[in-house]
Amino acid sequence: RKEVEQDPGPFNVPEGATVAFNCTYSNSASQSFFWYRQDCRKEPKLLMSVYSSGNEDGRFTAQLNRASQYISLLIRDSKLSDSATYLCVVSPSPFGNEKLTFGTGTRLTIIP
Amino acid sequence: GAVVSQHPSRVICKSGTSVKIECRSLDFQATTMFWYRQFPKKSLMLMATSNEGSKATYEQGVEKDKFLINHASLTLSTLTVTSAHPEDSSFYICSAPTDSRAAQYFGPGTRLLVL
């Protein structure tokens, strides 16, 4: 079983729609959780950290369920610029400054 | 702006040659940097943890004699792929946390093609 599992997609979503991604992780000792986005042939860029209380950054909302070892990302009012691969990432350290384990990513394409 | 830089961005070399990739932290000191590798349509996989002033820590299955890591200063780590072969062709990315309580930022990556 992979340490971090994501639906690879692709998700093809019309502009303006809401889309949700899910992720599960196997290591219950994981301490910090993140969503990164990766554009084609580019490096991953931090989108947001994920907290148990849930957190929101503009159109993006992330949620963590430690009991179920489940992480989610919701994108509202999707834009063409949201097209990318979204990576679910976990770390054994509280701050993510140690080894990161990546999911394979969920590919999102926003359709005009 | 970028907080981590990498050089070169792209390398094409013949089989058997060695390739050095540099990773620099910009405007901050990084006692630890990380080297990842990503094959097409696959996830990033950690290769090794680069520690300033001490030996790197390699992940299981990564040959330390093939992938030489040197963390010579608080702003520079280098990865040398020795005697590169076509199967080493990949996207090599480094990362560093900006401080001990921060998430990691990634360099722009180095695309290596071994012919």
Side-chain angles (χ1 to χ4, degrees), chain B residues 84-115:
Chain B
H85 289 95
E87 58 267 28
D88 298 322
S89 299
S90 188
F91 190 42
Y92 292 84
I93 314 175
C94 69
S95 73
T98 52
D99 62 49
S100 62
R101 298 171 65 92
Q104 296 178 35
Y105 288 86
F106 286 80
T110 297
R111 204 161 293 278
L112 172 63
L113 176 62
V114 185
L115 302 176

Side-chain angles (χ1 to χ4, degrees), chain A residues 23-36:
Chain A
C23 163
T24 57
Y25 60 95
S26 61
N27 187 351
S28 59
S30 299
Q31 295 288 320
S32 54
F33 310 88
F34 308 90
W35 284 102
Y36 280 76

Side-chain angles (χ1 to χ4, degrees), chain B residues 1 16 18 26 32 45 50 57 61 65 70 72 82 84 99 101 106 112:
Chain B
S18 293
L26 306 177
T32 303
M45 296 296 292
S50 174
T57 305
D65 294 329
N70 186 347
T82 62
D99 62 49
R101 298 171 65 92
F106 286 80
L112 172 63

Side-chain angles (χ1 to χ4, degrees), chain A residues 2 23-25 30 42 56 76 101 111:
Chain A
K2 294 179 183 175
C23 163
T24 57
Y25 60 95
S30 299
K42 298 287 187 181
E56 186 174 310
R76 292 181 299 278
T101 301
I111 303 167

Side-chain angles (χ1 to χ4, degrees), chain A residues 34 36 38 40-46 49 87 91 95-105 107, chain B residues 10 32 34 36 38 42-44 46 59 91 93 97 99-109 111:
Chain A
F34 308 90
Y36 280 76
Q38 185 174 26
C40 187
R41 302 177 72 80
K42 298 287 187 181
E43 78 277 20
K45 292 187 177 177
L46 180 64
S49 301
L87 304 170
S91 172
F95 309 110
N97 57 328
E98 294 180 11
K99 172 183 176 178
L100 297 181
T101 301
F102 286 79
T104 51
R107 187 169 177 181
Chain B
R10 183 177 299 181
T32 303
F34 302 89
Y36 294 82
Q38 185 177 32
K42 299 292 184 182
S43 62
L44 278 79
L46 180 67
E59 294 299 300
F91 190 42
I93 314 175
D99 62 49
S100 62
R101 298 171 65 92
Q104 296 178 35
Y105 288 86
F106 286 80
R111 204 161 293 278

Side-chain angles (χ1 to χ4, degrees), chain B residues 6-20:
Chain B
Q6 266 184 257
H7 178 80
S9 59
R10 183 177 299 181
V11 180
I12 301 174
C13 68
K14 293 181 179 180
S15 184
T17 58
S18 293
V19 176
K20 180 185 281 189

